[in-house]
Amino acid sequence: MPDLPDPDDYDRLSLNWNELIQEVRVIQTGVQILTGFLLTVPFTQRFGELNDLQVGVYLAVLSGAAATTALVMAPAAFHRMLFRRGAKLWTVEAGNKCVIAGLSLLALTLSGVLFLVFDVVLGVGTAALTAGTALVVFALLWWVVPVKLRKRWPVE
């Protein structure tokens, strides 16, 4: 059954949708560049020198990048497949959830990429410290600060 919004809410939903898509454009570009870079790594000369841990991390971050791509592109797919079906409210809400999940996975993926690079260059100890620090920074900037600030402003 379509979720036909109240005519007064339609403008708000359209604004929310447009804001969501603008945010997706920012995220999507970075994720696509990261994924493209990761896809080239096995074809480099040094890839054969990676140890089992490094290969495992590489495969995990490549999978994370692909899953992040799927999550941040999902809102566009939802919109296209449900266009003119009266599902704008669902599309905005589901798209929002996908982007939040995509950002969470992106934080893990980027931290894993940092782990891999620092492990290859400086060793596993420095890699673990760097990846852990990155996760903390992502968690603070992408989750803790916004959640804390949500209490200051009501839902529009």
Side-chain angles (χ1 to χ4, degrees):
M1 185 80 161
D3 59 345
L4 299 173
D6 183 304
D8 294 336
D9 292 338
Y10 192 81
D11 288 340
R12 180 184 51 81
L13 283 173
S14 292
L15 177 63
N16 289 347
W17 175 254
N18 289 333
E19 288 176 352
L20 179 68
I21 290 304
Q22 285 300 104
E23 293 163 3
V24 165
R25 286 183 181 127
V26 171
I27 300 164
Q28 182 181 348
T29 301
V31 170
Q32 287 175 328
I33 291 168
L34 175 63
T35 304
F37 165 75
L38 288 170
L39 288 170
T40 68
V41 170
F43 303 102
T44 63
Q45 290 179 350
R46 288 195 61 196
F47 187 78
E49 298 173 19
L50 297 182
N51 62 36
D52 289 344
L53 173 65
Q54 293 164 339
V55 170
V57 170
Y58 165 75
L59 293 172
V61 298
L62 178 62
S63 298
T68 301
T69 300
L71 284 166
V72 299
M73 293 178 122
F78 295 161
H79 182 265
R80 187 53 25 217
M81 297 305 291
L82 298 172
F83 184 65
R84 296 179 64 181
R85 303 272 177 161
K88 189 163 217 148
L89 176 61
W90 183 90
T91 303
V92 170
E93 290 176 351
N96 180 58
K97 288 176 184 173
C98 283
V99 171
I100 289 170
L103 283 171
S104 300
L105 191 52
L106 181 59
L108 290 171
T109 300
L110 288 171
S111 297
V113 168
L114 286 171
F115 178 90
L116 181 59
V117 171
F118 275 74
D119 187 20
V120 168
V121 176
L122 298 174
V124 71
T126 304
L129 180 63
T130 302
T133 301
L135 266 178
V136 168
V137 169
F138 288 130
L140 285 171
L141 292 175
W142 293 0
W143 186 71
V144 173
V145 170
V147 166
K148 217 172 163 143
L149 290 174
R150 286 171 65 135
K151 295 174 184 172
R152 290 188 184 180
W153 295 285
V155 174
E156 293 180 10

